[in-house]
Amino acid sequence: MLDIALIRSKPDWVKEQIEKLNDEGALARIDAIVDLDARRRETRTRIETAQAARNKLNRAMGALRGNKRMTDGEKANRAQLAAAALGAEDYEQASRLMAGAEPATPDKHAEMKAAFDELIRELRIMGDEIGEGFRRIEAIEAELKENMLWLPNLPHESAPVFESEDDNIPGPMQGSLREFDFEPKPHWELGPALDIIDFERGVKLSGSRYYTLKGWGARLQRALISFFLDAARENGYTEVYVPNIVHGEMLYGAAQFPKFQDTVFSLADEEKYLIPTAEVGIANLHRGEILEEACLPLQYVAHSPCYRSEKASAGRDVRGIKRVHQFEKVEMFKFATPETSYTELETMTRQAEAICAALDIPYRRLEIVTGDLGFSATKKYDIEMWSPGCGEWLEVSSCSNTEAFQARRAMLRYYPSGTRKTRYLHTLNGSGLATPRVMIAIMENNQQADGSIMIPEALRPYLGGAKRIEAIKN
RNA sequence: GGAGAGGUGGCCGAGUGGUUUAAGGCGAUGGUCUUGAAAACCAUUGUACGGUUCUCCGUACCGCAGGUUAGAAUCCUGUCCUCUCCGCCA
């Protein structure tokens, strides 16, 4: 979520920022938000003032009824006078009467019960009006929140302003392209040929976009996961294992919901969901807590399966394992102060690149332009590996700073050193890395003329020292 | 899955409808005292939102959500979670 105070104070500036994004409809929400916010504050101030008066009167009521120094006649008379004052909406006068501060005439004939009933009747009228007011505030705030939840994050000033993903700015390729003296095959041919990816049986089990890995395929994936986790740990990230099934609230916290609700799988008999990334769990780890600045930045890494329904991508990338409903990913995540978050983003991105370099696969960094930033990032870098079989660049990592966008939703805060004033943390996330696409890149780059695949040196310790996935002899 | 017990501030813990502030303790922070420290004593103590503007004031929050009441931590209903025992299970 954005800072409502920022929208309130600089609505036109916020609109200018949103115009840089490729997000139809977000702009119109700003005017609605400004209006709802003004109504919310006006109503809240008015109703809370009335509530303050009522609280005071209710306490005075108890004090009057229980007062041991007053005669019943005086109490009855005071109740009568107070009820009249309430009828005239003079709450101060009524309070003073009940507290015994104003003179009253003890009246032996006044009926205690009748007098108090009258007073209670006036208080009930007041209470009904206030109740109605709070219901109105709730409705306004629900609408305001709904609008806020649909509003994307604003781009950082350093994000290049262009329209779409076609304008993303590629950096120079790192590493060297393989030179093949044969036509390199795509992984959807290599996998079945080596009997390490079985598409048919995956489809038999679960339908399209599911697959099974077998033998070296399954082992290669497991090796990659271990390698990625070790690399992150060496960079100072604490390894965590998080639930793969979470409350919907966590998905709001990580800013998947409400906008991307239909990309997430939900459970049939519970209000819980399969995570689309381990980021969901990590981002909410410190939900509702207030951290001390001295422990920042907090760095976590987690491996998890990622479940994505991919409804919006029907028909795209239908061959192979580039876009599937279930895959494995190692996710890096940082909680940082606003002062350090952008240098932390650079560090994290370089760490993801270093993993690509260690695997000896040609890769490049893509600077994401404002029109392709997505919903929650202020600045983003993608890292792509070249796949000679598919003939395309594969996104294997995406590193983002969300500033306080997730922090406001999940209540992630810290006390700056020496103060007790809370501040929102900045959160950063980056894949490090995602397995199916890295496997594609390894298979397609390292394929040999005889059909075998060379295993990157960095992975060999995880595979019993094996150097190569041998072709099947016919 | 069955039975029982419970959920109150950073922590422990009191509080069964009201005479305006969730008692008390621990911890933490600041101060006094001291060469320094400890001890003792004094003071302070959460979060969000709104108003005010640098200091306060107000509202809400006692797991969560409803309800009863002029008034709820307290009574009622639902729900979630934790613990203990039993059953099942890797």
Side-chain angles (χ1 to χ4, degrees):
Chain A
M1 267 192 304
L2 296 181
D3 181 2
I4 185 74
L6 176 68
I7 298 175
R8 187 187 299 150
S9 63
K10 296 197 284 185
D12 293 330
W13 182 84
V14 171
K15 284 183 193 171
E16 281 171 33
Q17 301 310 305
I18 286 180
E19 275 175 15
K20 298 175 184 172
L21 305 172
N22 191 0
D23 189 331
E24 304 288 323
L27 208 55
R29 293 187 185 274
I30 298 296
D31 286 328
I33 286 168
V34 169
D35 176 54
L36 286 163
D37 177 57
R39 276 167 55 205
R40 169 187 118 83
R41 291 193 300 155
E42 184 277 321
T43 313
R44 197 165 257 292
T45 305
R46 189 157 44 79
I47 299 302
E48 284 187 356
T49 304
Q51 175 75 324
R54 185 171 76 130
N55 284 345
K56 201 172 165 189
L57 289 163
N58 278 326
R59 285 191 294 264
M61 174 77 189
L64 177 63
R65 182 165 272 177
N67 195 313
K68 299 214 165 51
R69 288 199 299 268
M70 284 184 195
T71 62
D72 286 357
E74 181 175 356
K75 287 182 192 176
N77 182 246
R78 287 187 180 280
Q80 285 173 333
L81 292 170
L86 285 186
E89 295 189 11
D90 189 346
Y91 307 129
E92 279 303 312
Q93 174 71 1
S95 286
R96 284 196 300 272
L97 280 161
M98 285 190 260
E102 291 284 320
T105 318
D107 181 351
K108 282 178 188 157
H109 304 293
E111 276 291 323
M112 274 278 280
K113 187 170 184 313
F116 274 91
D117 283 351
E118 178 61 23
L119 183 53
I120 285 169
R121 202 156 32 244
E122 291 294 342
L123 285 168
R124 187 187 294 139
I125 291 167
M126 206 179 161
D128 289 346
E129 284 169 4
I130 290 167
E132 176 56 35
F134 276 120
R135 275 190 292 280
R136 213 155 50 231
I137 290 169
E138 266 173 44
I140 293 169
E141 289 185 347
E143 199 182 340
L144 178 61
K145 186 175 182 192
E146 176 72 5
N147 275 288
M148 290 295 286
L149 286 174
W150 277 91
L151 215 54
N153 206 351
L154 305 180
H156 188 248
E157 58 186 9
S158 69
V161 183
F162 290 100
E163 269 182 36
S164 77
E165 60 181 334
D166 300 330
D167 305 309
N168 287 335
I169 301 161
M173 185 184 76
Q174 307 293 320
S176 50
L177 287 179
R178 306 293 194 270
E179 287 178 20
F180 296 97
D181 49 15
F182 59 94
E183 186 66 27
K185 292 177 178 164
H187 70 283
W188 56 80
E189 288 178 20
L190 293 168
L194 289 161
D195 198 24
I196 62 174
I197 304 177
D198 183 339
F199 293 105
E200 284 80 6
R201 291 197 175 89
V203 170
K204 178 167 75 181
L205 290 174
S206 306
S208 68
R209 288 198 199 277
Y210 290 93
Y211 56 99
T212 51
L213 300 179
K214 184 179 175 188
W216 282 104
R219 288 186 70 191
L220 182 61
Q221 169 166 283
R222 185 157 52 88
L224 282 167
I225 293 164
S226 292
F227 171 63
F228 294 156
L229 286 169
D230 284 347
R233 202 186 60 241
E234 280 159 24
N235 285 325
Y237 292 77
T238 303
E239 187 174 340
V240 291
Y241 173 79
V242 293
N244 297 165
I245 294 172
V246 295
H247 293 297
E249 267 307 302
M250 306 306 133
L251 288 149
Y252 279 98
Q256 313 284 338
F257 282 8
K259 185 156 185 176
F260 302 112
Q261 183 138 18
D262 64 0
T263 71
V264 173
F265 287 108
S266 61
L267 300 189
D269 55 353
E270 273 189 291
E271 279 291 312
K272 289 180 183 167
Y273 303 85
L274 292 172
I275 56 170
T277 160
E279 177 192 348
V280 174
I282 309 176
N284 287 284
L285 266 188
H286 296 290
R287 162 181 279 265
E289 297 176 20
I290 305 173
L291 305 175
E292 297 291 340
E293 181 170 2
C295 72
L296 302 174
L298 273 181
Q299 307 193 129
Y300 292 107
V301 63
H303 155 247
S304 82
C306 302
Y307 304 96
R308 302 192 179 178
S309 77
E310 299 290 347
K311 279 181 197 148
S313 306
R316 282 182 68 187
D317 309 315
V318 286
R319 303 194 75 180
I321 52 171
K322 180 184 169 191
R323 188 179 298 277
V324 289
H325 289 313
Q326 174 182 333
F327 60 95
E328 303 299 308
K329 182 160 63 64
V330 168
E331 184 77 0
M332 301 182 285
F333 198 95
K334 299 192 194 203
F335 298 90
T337 65
E339 286 72 22
T340 61
S341 68
Y342 282 94
T343 55
E344 295 291 350
L345 176 64
E346 299 299 325
T347 309
M348 182 184 265
T349 308
R350 279 199 300 277
Q351 286 162 345
E353 287 175 318
I355 296 171
C356 300
L359 290 171
D360 190 29
I361 302 292
Y363 69 92
R364 67 179 187 181
R365 179 196 288 215
L366 209 54
E367 173 142 28
I368 304 302
V369 299
T370 54
D372 190 34
L373 269 179
F375 189 65
S376 46
T378 59
K379 188 174 178 66
K380 186 194 280 189
Y381 298 112
D382 281 358
I383 297 165
E384 299 179 323
M385 285 181 169
W386 175 248
S387 63
C390 310
E392 63 177 322
W393 289 95
L394 296 175
E395 179 189 329
V396 294
S397 178
S398 184
C399 300
S400 305
N401 188 355
T402 75
E403 293 194 5
F405 195 70
Q406 291 176 324
R408 281 193 202 90
R409 291 170 172 238
M411 292 298 273
L412 310 168
R413 293 157 297 165
Y414 75 104
Y415 291 122
S417 300
T419 77
R420 291 274 102 179
K421 187 122 181 92
T422 60
R423 248 179 125 196
Y424 287 112
L425 290 157
H426 280 194
T427 59
L428 301 95
N429 65 86
S431 342
L433 308 166
T435 53
R437 292 182 183 175
V438 173
M439 288 211 291
I440 294 172
I442 290 172
M443 290 167 66
E444 295 188 4
N445 279 285
N446 293 6
Q447 59 183 298
Q448 308 296 306
D450 66 359
S452 67
I453 290 170
M454 296 302 294
I455 295 169
E457 274 184 43
L459 290 180
R460 293 179 191 174
Y462 296 91
L463 292 165
K467 295 184 172 64
R468 172 198 296 264
I469 299 173
E470 299 291 350
I472 294 173
K473 297 181 182 75
N474 289 320

